C-alpha cells in the first residue's frame, strides 16, 4: 500500500515522500513532498515556470496518519500559505494556497513564481510511491537545501538573436550607418533573488559572440566580435514573461576600418533591456541595446559609432 511505503520511507530517512500530479493536466504540474530537518518542503514543477522548479517550505510540519491515508496540514500565522494534502492508494487530493505578497515578508528569498503553485481549491491528484521517484530525488537533492532553491541560483540561459541597427550623431560619433548583427550568448545566474520591490531580481554573468556583423550603408563592411563581460540583472519573472537589463564590454574586428581612417579593431560596449515571452524554459526574445564601438583613443582620431539596435530571437533557460 502507498501508506505503508510512505511510512517505510520516513523510517528509512528518505527525503522524497511522494509526487502528485493532476491526471491529464496540460501544464504538466507536479507537487513533490520532500522532508527536511526543520519540516517539509513542496517542490513544484510546471510548464508555466521559466525555471526548472520552485520550492515552498512548511516549517515544523510533519506527515500524519489519518485512517487509511497520510495527511499533511499546514497554515502559516498570517494565512499566506495553507496546505491540506491527503495521500492514499485510491484517492488523493491537494488543496494548496500561497500568496507571495504576504509570505515574502516572512521568507525574503521566496520566489514570486510560488503563486503558480495554487490549486484554486481542492483537486484530485495521482500520487506515486517514493520508490518511483528515488532517482529524481537523488539527482535533485542538496545537502543543505533541496534543489528547488539551488537550481534557481544557478539557472543557465542560451540566447540566439538577429538585429538591425542605425547609428546616430552623438558624442562626436558618426551617423548614417546601417548594419545587421547576429548574436549567440550563454550566461548563468550567480545569486539568489534580492532587492526592493520591482527592482528585485538575480545577477547573471554571460558571454556573447557576434559571428556576423554586416554593415550595408554607407559601404559594405563585415566583421566579428565577442563580449566576455555581460552583466545581466534578471528581474523576478511574471506568469508569462520576464525582463532583464544588461551592461556589456568586448571587442570587434572588421574587414575595413570603422569609422574610416581609424582602425579595423575596436572596443565595444552596450547597455540594454530585454523581454522574454513564454511560460516554459523556451521563450521568444525581444531586446533593445544602445551600442558603442571605437578604438578607445588608441589613435589620434576616435569618432566612434553609437547606434540603436533592436534584436529578436530565442531564449532557452535550464
Amino acid at each position: 500500500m502507498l501508506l505503508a511505503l510512505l511510512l517505510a520511507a520516513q523510517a528509512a530517512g528518505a527525503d522524497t515522500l511522494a509526487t502528485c500530479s493532476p491526471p491529464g493536466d496540460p501544464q504538466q504540474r507536479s507537487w513533490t513532498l520532500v522532508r527536511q530537518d526543520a519540516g517539509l518542503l513542496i517542490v513544484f514543477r510546471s510548464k508555466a515556470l521559466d525555471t526548472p522548479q520552485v520550492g515552498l517550505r512548511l516549517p515544523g510540519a510533519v506527515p500524519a496518519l489519518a485512517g487509511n491515508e497520510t495527511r499533511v496540514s499546514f497554515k502559516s500565522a498570517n494565512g499566506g500559505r495553507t496546505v491540506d494534502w491527503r495521500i492514499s492508494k485510491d484517492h488523493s487530493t491537494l488543496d494548496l494556497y500561497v500568496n507571495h505578497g504576504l509570505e515574502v515578508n516572512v521568507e525574503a528569498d521566496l520566489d514570486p513564481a510560488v503563486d503558480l503553485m495554487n490549486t484554486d481549491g481542492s483537486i484530485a491528484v495521482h500520487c506515486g510511491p517514493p520508490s518511483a521517484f528515488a532517482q529524481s530525488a537523488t539527482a535533485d537533492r542538496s545537502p543543505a537545501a533541496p534543489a528547488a532553491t539551488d537550481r534557481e541560483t544557478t539557472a543557465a540561459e542560451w540566447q540566439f538573436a538577429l538585429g538591425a541597427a542605425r547609428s546616430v550623431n552623438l558624442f562626436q560619433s558618426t551617423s548614417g550607418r546601417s548594419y545587421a548583427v547576429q548574436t549567440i550568448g550563454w550566461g548563468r545566474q550567480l545569486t539568489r533573488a534580492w532587492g526592493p520591490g520591482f527592482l528585485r531580481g538575480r545577477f547573471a554573468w554571460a558571454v556573447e559572440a557576434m559571428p556576423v556583423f554586416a554593415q550595408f550603408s554607407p559601404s559594405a563592411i563585415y566583421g566579428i566580435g565577442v563580449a566576455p563581460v555581460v552583466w545581466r540583472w534578471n528581474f523576478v519573472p511574471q506568469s508569462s514573461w520576464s525582463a532583464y537589463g544588461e551592461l556589456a564590454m568586448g571587442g570587434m574586428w572588421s574587414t575595413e576600418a570603422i569609422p574610416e581612417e581609424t582602425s579595423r579593431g575596436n572596443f565595444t560596449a552596450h547597455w540594454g533591456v530585454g523581454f522574454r515571452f513564454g511560460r516554459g524554459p523556451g521563450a521568444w526574445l525581444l531586446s533593445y541595446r544602445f551600442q558603442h564601438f571605437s578604438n578607445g583613443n588608441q589613435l589620434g582620431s576616435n569618432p566612434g559609432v553609437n547606434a540603436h539596435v533592436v534584436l529578436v530571437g530565442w531564449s532557452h533557460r535550464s
Side-chain angles (χ1 to χ4, degrees):
M1 292 178 60
L2 177 59
L3 178 59
L5 288 171
L6 284 169
L7 296 177
Q10 278 190 279
D15 289 332
T16 300
L17 302 182
T19 294
C20 301
S21 301
D25 183 20
Q27 293 300 322
Q28 298 179 10
R29 293 173 297 169
S30 70
W31 296 262
T32 298
L33 185 62
V34 179
R35 186 176 56 198
Q36 288 184 308
D37 293 338
L40 298 176
L41 174 84
I42 299 175
V43 178
F44 177 68
R45 300 177 179 88
S46 170
K47 290 173 62 178
L49 295 173
D50 68 349
T51 56
Q53 55 193 30
V54 296
L56 182 69
R57 294 180 176 84
L58 308 180
V62 293
L65 178 63
N68 198 34
E69 68 181 16
T70 294
R71 182 174 181 180
V72 176
S73 295
F74 179 85
K75 184 174 182 178
S76 61
N78 64 358
R81 65 182 84 181
T82 303
V83 177
D84 185 12
W85 199 343
R86 300 169 183 261
I87 304 172
S88 67
K89 179 180 178 181
D90 301 318
H91 181 66
S92 302
T93 61
L94 174 62
D95 189 351
L96 187 153
Y97 169 77
V98 58
N99 185 311
H100 174 265
L102 290 175
E103 292 299 286
V104 73
N105 297 315
V106 178
E107 186 177 335
D109 288 335
L110 192 64
D111 195 311
V114 296
D115 287 342
L116 297 175
M117 299 176 71
N118 285 315
T119 60
D120 298 321
S122 181
I123 62 172
V125 291
H126 172 75
C127 299
S131 57
F133 305 96
Q135 280 189 316
S136 63
T138 301
D140 293 344
R141 193 164 58 226
S142 166
T149 298
D150 295 341
R151 285 191 180 183
E152 291 167 13
T153 64
T154 58
E157 178 184 23
W158 283 96
Q159 288 190 359
F160 307 87
L162 295 172
R166 182 72 174 177
S167 69
V168 294
N169 187 356
L170 184 65
F171 304 127
Q172 299 181 340
S173 62
T174 60
S175 62
R177 296 180 183 274
S178 299
Y179 59 89
V181 294
Q182 177 196 3
T183 62
I184 301 174
W186 179 87
R188 182 177 288 276
Q189 292 185 155
L190 301 178
T191 70
R192 298 187 180 190
W194 63 280
F198 69 94
L199 295 177
R200 184 176 177 83
R202 297 182 174 91
F203 174 74
W205 189 304
V207 294
E208 183 180 274
M210 184 174 61
V212 176
F213 170 90
Q215 177 181 288
F216 47 86
S217 176
S219 61
I221 300 176
Y222 304 95
I224 59 173
V226 62
V229 177
V230 181
W231 293 333
R232 184 172 296 150
W233 185 253
N234 288 319
F235 296 98
V236 292
Q238 305 302 308
S239 59
S240 61
W241 62 276
S242 62
Y244 64 87
E246 67 181 22
L247 176 67
M249 293 166 281
M252 185 184 77
W253 298 264
S254 55
T255 56
E256 301 292 339
I258 304 179
E260 292 75 9
E261 300 181 359
T262 57
S263 173
R264 292 173 56 190
N266 282 299
F267 298 102
T268 64
H270 76 257
W271 61 264
V273 295
F275 299 89
R276 309 176 189 92
F277 300 95
R279 291 179 176 270
W284 291 105
L285 183 69
L286 175 64
S287 66
Y288 162 83
R289 59 181 58 171
F290 185 79
Q291 188 173 53
H292 168 82
F293 50 88
S294 68
N295 59 47
N297 288 315
Q298 298 301 305
L299 301 174
S301 176
N302 185 46
V305 173
N306 292 307
H308 299 294
V309 188
V310 176
L311 300 103
V312 294
W314 182 255
S315 163
H316 182 83
R317 308 181 78 187
S318 59

